[in-house]
Amino acid sequence: MKARVFVSLKPSVFDPQGHTIVEALRSLGYDSVADVRQGKYFEVDLNVPTRAEAEKIATEVADRVLANPVIERFRIELPGDGGAA
């Protein structure tokens, strides 16, 4: 089963990369772009028998390794979550 993990900065954390992208887009004429927040995307293949076990392991992996809980948050998608693999 493939879990998709999306990691992004918490809203209260300044995103210098996102800010740089906004400035670059504006210099290219995209003045309507108000903000950009950068993040990370992971696909985690899990050899587990149930969806519940996949969700449990993907959440643990994201919380312990993929995301920094001080400044980042994460979201897990599993097959059947509306477009997940």
Side-chain angles (χ1 to χ4, degrees), residues 4-39:
R4 294 179 177 179
V5 181
F6 300 86
V7 179
S8 59
L9 291 171
K10 290 181 177 179
S12 61
V13 176
F14 177 67
D15 184 353
Q17 185 175 358
H19 180 74
T20 300
I21 293 168
V22 168
E23 293 302 316
L25 290 170
R26 288 183 180 159
S27 74
L28 293 170
Y30 296 100
D31 296 327
S32 62
V33 176
D35 194 22
V36 172
R37 302 287 290 176
Q38 63 90 24

Side-chain angles (χ1 to χ4, degrees), residues 5-84:
V5 181
F6 300 86
V7 179
S8 59
L9 291 171
K10 290 181 177 179
S12 61
V13 176
F14 177 67
D15 184 353
Q17 185 175 358
H19 180 74
T20 300
I21 293 168
V22 168
E23 293 302 316
L25 290 170
R26 288 183 180 159
S27 74
L28 293 170
Y30 296 100
D31 296 327
S32 62
V33 176
D35 194 22
V36 172
R37 302 287 290 176
Q38 63 90 24
K40 300 177 275 190
Y41 168 73
F42 302 91
E43 288 186 356
V44 182
D45 286 321
L46 301 164
N47 293 321
V48 294
T50 67
R51 180 183 174 86
E53 185 70 12
E55 184 172 11
K56 177 182 181 288
I57 292 173
T59 299
E60 288 176 7
V61 167
D63 188 48
R64 296 180 69 193
V65 178
L66 302 179
N68 176 346
V70 175
I71 62 170
E72 295 174 317
R73 59 185 178 179
F74 64 87
R75 175 174 52 90
I76 307 287
E77 285 184 2
L78 296 170
D81 286 349

